[in-house]
Amino acid sequence: MSCLGARVVVPIDVKKKPSEQTVPLHNRWHPAVPPVAEVQTGELFRVEMVDFSGGGITKEYTAEDIKFQDASIVSFIVLLTITKPMMAPPTPRLIVPIDLKKKPWQQNLPLHNRWHPEIPPVAEVKTGDIFRVEMVDWTARAISDDNSALDVKTLDLSTVHYLSGPIRVVDRDGNPAKPGDLLAVEICNLGPLPGDEWGFTAIFDRENGGGFLTDHFPCATKAIWYFEGIYAYSPHIPGVRFPGLTHPGIVGTAPSMELLNIWNERERKLEETGLQSLKLCEVLHSRPLANLPSTKGCVLGKIKEGTPEWERIAREAARTIPGRENGGNCDIKNLSRGSKVYLPVFVDGANLSTGDMHFSQGDGEVAFCGAIEMSGFLELKCEIIRDGMKKYLTPMGPTALHVNPIFEIGPVEPRFSEWLVFEGISVDESGRQHYLDASVAYKRAVLNAIDYISKFGYSKEQVYLLLSCCPCEGRISGIVDAPNAVATLAIPIAIFDQDIRPKTSDIVPTGPRLVRNPGLPQCSYDGNLPTTKNPCATT
């Protein structure tokens, strides 16, 4: 809102005498004359006043009032106290600290890696307070800063993602967020943990997680990235450097038991029948189709493993892999400083959790472990919108719980002016036509980009990793012109140290010019699933 003008601190009623004013005047200097108002430095304020005679001189056409004016009562003034403005807000309070030398369950406030309404909160915050949450990378340092991909190949994916929280949110009067409210979570600041300024991007083995293009790239592979302020570079993918749009991959609230049961039922049905009923599985190849509840690798915060309570909850608790109605693993790369998330509340206190920090990510995070994964911190501020779900969210399903969060993107992002855009249509590598299938179209766009950029001195694995973590823009450009959906992938040209645009000359550059390490950490693929080959692609 615009400024409403100066605040009136001393009003004057010209019909009243100085001694009758609401804020009485005075006409002497003395240290004991008390102030009648208080203002802050820098504040614009308004003081009204009588003339110096206090109304003794009139507008009559006579000088008698001047002749007989009592000079002992002039001038009337007001006395104000000028104070300093309110102090700046305190440094955000650290409510979830992380010791990187300890395991997730050894932290002072233990982490968790499942969604369940009975996982107890580890901290409480009030609306309007700015607080700081620290977090491990999504694997809790299972991936090392080295030149081997064996840690990627053998990673136990039953343990991810490790989340900080849950955090109970109450209003200024101590009343908790209630089911049906919206929790507005503002990201005030974020970044890598000081002293741990590095990250990794990886391709999982096809038998252990895979990824969007796992049928083309079945081998476990990784790239290490180092941070220089807002920029990232990798010795494993030379010749590129780009500013990161840092963001949390996961921000979510705890589900109610009713919502948790909905998740488990529909995902179990998909796992049991998907291969037979969904043709999309034939060309995307991701396995498993869903990650169902499992006691293996389960960490439930303050609930001790081995107790009857832990056993029961571990069998019910949902995995954190997909995004759902509670927010969760949405991996929205633009959710950086200044952004807000409007999350549905399903349990008392909301029980907010967050984790999976990314230094940078491309749209789609196509390699699965495809962002620049890192440890980090968030500084957050929460507000509660009472009955916000009913006011702002329309259920898209059979119950009032079938809603989705709203995201408000902040004003901070890298500025690129030149992009190379690759198109894909819903025709797979075998030439088979699919009907308005945006997933197949996006797969084609990514494959087209990989094949093209590999002409400039990169291996295809290097490009696959790069497109998963650089600030590229994915779009569904067409979804109505049957039979082809059209997807596009836009890559900022400035991230490369060479010009990758097509030229009229016959010579294609063989860069990259900046070579730090020609090798890419990679393991062999030991499985027997067939790989997909494009007969016309470059080798």
Side-chain angles (χ1 to χ4, degrees):
M1 294 181 62
S2 61
C3 180
L4 298 178
R7 179 170 65 96
V8 178
V9 298
V10 181
I12 289 293
D13 184 343
V14 295
K15 297 179 181 178
K16 294 181 178 180
K17 297 184 180 298
S19 59
E20 298 171 343
Q21 297 293 330
T22 303
V23 179
L25 311 185
H26 67 106
N27 58 9
R28 296 292 191 274
W29 292 115
H30 193 280
V33 177
V36 297
E38 180 176 288
V39 297
Q40 297 179 358
T41 55
E43 179 185 4
L44 184 66
F45 59 93
R46 177 184 174 118
V47 177
E48 297 177 348
M49 58 198 76
V50 297
D51 69 76
F52 88 117
S53 71
I57 308 300
T58 70
K59 58 182 179 180
E60 300 295 330
Y61 287 94
T62 173
E64 293 295 312
D65 47 5
I66 294 177
K67 180 177 181 179
F68 298 108
Q69 173 66 34
D70 182 357
S72 69
I73 64 173
V74 299
S75 306
F76 289 98
I77 57 177
V78 295
L79 186 63
L80 304 177
T81 296
I82 299 180
T83 66
K84 293 182 179 180
M86 294 179 64
M87 297 294 291
T91 300
R93 179 168 62 98
L94 177 60
I95 63 167
V96 182
I98 288 294
D99 183 343
L100 291 174
K101 297 178 182 178
K102 294 181 178 180
K103 301 290 186 183
W105 52 90
Q106 296 172 335
Q107 300 293 330
N108 290 341
L109 299 177
L111 310 185
H112 64 104
N113 59 11
R114 298 291 193 271
W115 293 115
H116 196 282
E118 295 181 42
I119 298 175
V122 299
E124 180 176 289
V125 297
K126 287 189 174 182
T127 54
D129 289 347
I130 300 179
F131 58 94
R132 180 180 175 113
V133 179
E134 295 179 347
M135 58 202 77
V136 297
D137 75 77
W138 75 302
T139 71
R141 299 178 75 81
I143 306 300
S144 301
D145 177 8
D146 59 25
N147 287 314
S148 170
L150 187 61
D151 48 7
V152 174
K153 183 174 182 176
T154 60
L155 180 67
D156 182 1
L157 290 175
S158 71
T159 65
V160 295
H161 306 75
Y162 286 108
L163 304 182
S164 294
I167 300 164
R168 176 179 167 88
V169 183
V170 302
D171 62 22
R172 303 307 294 181
D173 297 323
N175 301 311
K178 293 288 186 181
D181 293 342
L182 276 184
L183 184 68
V185 183
E186 181 178 353
I187 299 175
C188 301
N189 195 16
L190 76 177
L193 283 182
D196 202 43
E197 291 90 354
W198 71 279
F200 61 90
T201 305
I203 303 169
F204 282 126
D205 187 277
R206 189 172 181 183
E207 307 289 337
N208 186 36
F212 191 49
L213 304 181
T214 192
D215 55 320
H216 288 262
F217 301 98
C219 300
T221 311
K222 83 176 177 186
I224 299 298
W225 297 85
Y226 300 117
F227 309 149
E228 298 174 332
I230 65 170
Y231 291 93
Y233 73 90
S234 173
H236 298 127
I237 308 177
V240 295
R241 183 175 184 262
F242 51 82
L245 189 54
T246 303
H247 61 279
I250 297 179
V251 180
T253 53
S256 63
M257 201 64 214
E258 180 184 0
L259 182 58
L260 180 63
N261 290 334
I262 290 172
W263 293 352
N264 289 339
E265 180 181 353
R266 74 190 183 198
E267 291 174 19
R268 184 172 289 106
K269 184 177 180 181
L270 172 67
E271 179 68 17
E272 292 171 352
T273 64
L275 283 172
Q276 292 75 40
S277 62
L278 300 176
K279 295 185 183 302
L280 192 62
C281 302
E282 301 172 12
V283 293
L284 290 188
H285 300 279
S286 290
R287 300 291 184 273
L289 296 180
N291 294 274
L292 302 178
S294 170
T295 59
K296 181 185 177 184
C298 183
V299 177
L300 298 175
K302 291 182 176 181
I303 302 175
K304 298 298 183 182
E305 184 175 356
T307 63
E309 182 185 25
W310 185 93
E311 292 288 346
R312 175 181 60 83
I313 293 175
R315 288 192 296 268
E316 299 169 346
R319 298 295 308 278
T320 61
I321 303 297
R324 299 185 182 93
E325 287 84 348
N326 68 326
N329 192 25
C330 295
D331 288 323
I332 298 175
K333 72 174 175 54
N334 300 82
L335 206 63
S336 193
R337 289 179 182 85
S339 298
K340 279 188 178 181
V341 188
Y342 299 90
L343 295 167
V345 175
F346 302 104
V347 300
D348 279 0
N351 285 4
L352 175 71
S353 296
T354 184
D356 190 28
M357 281 293 291
H358 298 162
F359 187 84
S360 178
Q361 180 200 293
D363 279 336
E365 198 185 9
V366 289
F368 184 31
C369 184
I372 299 180
E373 311 286 348
M374 69 174 192
S375 63
F377 73 91
L378 288 175
E379 291 176 358
L380 305 174
K381 182 172 69 172
C382 293
E383 299 292 344
I384 298 171
I385 303 175
R386 297 296 183 186
D387 298 318
M389 287 175 62
K390 183 178 180 180
K391 293 176 183 175
Y392 297 109
L393 303 183
T394 300
M396 295 293 176
T399 76
L401 302 178
H402 287 79
V403 295
N404 294 101
I406 298 172
F407 302 89
E408 181 181 346
I409 299 304
V412 179
E413 62 180 21
R415 288 184 291 179
F416 297 108
S417 59
E418 296 179 307
W419 303 75
L420 209 56
V421 181
F422 296 88
E423 180 189 76
I425 58 176
S426 50
V427 177
D428 66 32
E429 299 92 314
S430 70
R432 177 184 171 191
Q433 179 74 61
H434 296 259
Y435 179 71
L436 295 179
D437 195 320
S439 295
V440 173
Y442 197 59
K443 185 182 182 186
R444 277 286 302 273
V446 177
L447 287 170
N448 288 339
I450 289 172
D451 195 69
Y452 177 86
I453 296 174
S454 67
K455 301 176 188 294
F456 293 83
Y458 296 96
S459 71
K460 291 186 178 181
E461 287 82 0
Q462 286 176 314
V463 183
Y464 183 27
L465 288 168
L466 177 63
L467 297 184
S468 193
C469 68
C470 77
C472 55
E473 301 279 345
R475 297 285 187 274
I476 298 176
S477 300
I479 201 66
V480 295
D481 297 316
N484 277 331
V486 177
T488 54
L489 181 65
I491 302 168
I493 294 173
I495 70 174
F496 297 93
D497 74 343
Q498 59 181 309
D499 188 352
I500 64 167
R501 289 172 289 196
K503 306 291 191 301
T504 56
S505 65
D506 294 332
I507 300 175
V508 175
T510 57
R513 290 194 288 271
L514 181 61
V515 177
R516 295 190 181 94
N517 185 331
L520 189 66
Q522 189 173 56
C523 295
S524 63
Y525 172 59
D526 304 321
N528 55 12
L529 293 173
T531 57
T532 303
K533 300 292 185 182
N534 176 6
C536 296
T538 58
T539 58

